Amino acid sequence: MIETYIQSLSPPIQALVAGMLTWGLTAFGASFVLFVRAVNKKLLDVALGFAAGVMIAASFWSLLEPAIEMSQRMNIPPWIPPATGFVIGALFLRLIDIILPHLHLQAPINEAEGIKTSFKRTTLLVLAVTLHNIPEGLAIGVSFGAHGTDPESVTLLSSIMLAIGIGIQNIPEGFAISMPLRSEGLSRKKSFLIGQFSGLVEPVFALIGVLVLDIMHSLLPYALGFAAGAMIFVTVEELIPESQRGGNSDIATAGLIIGFTLMMILDVAFK
């Protein structure tokens, strides 16, 4: 019933709704700051590891695998589109990483990255999470756009599962940004508002991703690879190091394994 209704919507509306869902789950995770008194460091590292596992699994099963399948129907070696898109996606995020001022969650202020600014620590923290959410939004938009263009390679259910997987990992992610903001001295309400606001880029970039594909259908496998490269870059550059920084490497790795396994199950079982 729900799937039939979603199928009746246009790909841009599907992507926008999915992006709004993931934003809502970010807000749900951020809302924990209204009830929890202090950051549990172990829980935070497990949450970051879990998010990393989800993104790694989604990058392959939801993005690279269908990109490879589509490329096999093209008159070029099937590895070229996904590999090209993957590298360009990683380079794109690297460029943003160089330009956008930001600070990883558990890093001291002197380790701020990007163009030097006078931004406060809290602003830099939010910009870091915003940077992380850009490839997630793109992945959602590209997936729904791919379904609209090539429903045999990317089913509606697989696009929905991608959005659900990203949404699930956004719950601990929202918690992971709002609680450090609270530790920086912000009020509970302000920590929540800023924490959930970091997820707003997801519906925006989901819409951008699907609209670009709507204009340029031939870029489909390249776009899927691009989204995967962007997600892997953020995972390796930010999530995994952050989860390992606090001395809880074993449970953070366990969180990654759980996140990867869950996303793999969602993608394979409901394809």
Side-chain angles (χ1 to χ4, degrees):
M1 180 72 176
I2 296 177
E3 186 178 353
T4 302
Y5 172 73
I6 296 175
Q7 185 73 63
S8 68
L9 302 175
S10 66
I13 298 301
Q14 291 171 348
L16 183 60
V17 170
M20 295 295 288
L21 169 66
T22 58
W23 176 27
L25 289 173
T26 301
F28 175 67
S31 71
F32 293 174
V33 75
L34 300 173
F35 313 103
V36 178
R37 290 184 176 275
V39 178
N40 183 310
K41 191 66 180 61
K42 289 185 178 181
L43 181 60
L44 182 62
D45 289 341
V46 170
L48 291 169
F50 178 87
V54 169
M55 291 184 72
I56 292 171
S59 295
F60 177 72
W61 275 282
S62 296
L63 299 169
L64 286 175
E65 186 182 41
I68 294 169
E69 182 180 337
M70 292 173 190
S71 300
Q72 290 172 343
R73 302 196 293 268
M74 303 171 71
N75 295 322
I76 56 175
W79 55 267
I80 289 180
T84 302
F86 187 87
V87 171
I88 294 174
L91 289 174
F92 173 73
L93 258 291
R94 174 54 180 160
L95 180 62
I96 296 179
D97 188 62
I98 292 172
I99 295 173
L100 184 71
H102 63 283
L103 178 68
H104 297 309
L105 291 178
Q106 304 178 60
I109 189 66
N110 64 326
E111 292 184 12
E113 300 178 15
I115 295 174
K116 299 300 180 183
T117 70
S118 58
F119 291 165
K120 293 182 179 179
R121 178 181 174 85
T122 52
T123 303
L124 293 170
L125 287 170
V126 173
L127 287 174
V129 178
T130 301
L131 171 64
H132 170 201
N133 287 336
I134 289 174
E136 294 179 7
L138 284 174
I140 292 169
V142 167
S143 181
F144 279 98
H147 168 69
T149 302
D150 190 348
E152 291 186 4
S153 297
V154 182
T155 66
L156 176 61
L157 197 54
S158 67
S159 296
I160 293 173
M161 288 302 108
L162 172 63
I164 290 175
I166 289 176
I168 289 172
Q169 65 95 30
N170 275 359
I171 297 174
E173 186 178 282
F175 172 78
I177 182 60
S178 62
M179 290 304 295
L181 291 176
R182 175 63 176 156
S183 299
E184 293 294 323
L186 274 67
S187 68
R188 293 181 186 274
K189 183 178 179 181
K190 194 168 185 179
S191 297
F192 163 71
L193 290 175
I194 295 175
Q196 62 84 29
F197 181 76
S198 67
L200 181 59
V201 297
E202 291 196 10
V204 173
F205 277 87
L207 193 56
I208 290 172
V210 73
L211 290 177
V212 169
L213 274 187
D214 196 42
I215 297 170
M216 296 176 285
H217 299 307
S218 61
L219 294 180
L220 186 49
Y222 295 91
L224 288 165
F226 180 96
M231 287 180 67
I232 290 295
F233 178 89
V234 168
T235 302
V236 176
E237 200 270 342
E238 178 185 344
L239 291 178
I240 293 177
E242 286 303 308
S243 71
Q244 303 286 324
R245 183 191 286 264
N248 299 309
S249 59
D250 288 341
I251 59 173
T253 302
L256 186 150
I257 297 300
I258 293 170
F260 183 95
T261 303
L262 175 63
M263 189 65 223
M264 179 178 63
I265 292 171
L266 287 175
D267 237 317
V268 176
F270 296 99
K271 180 165 286 187

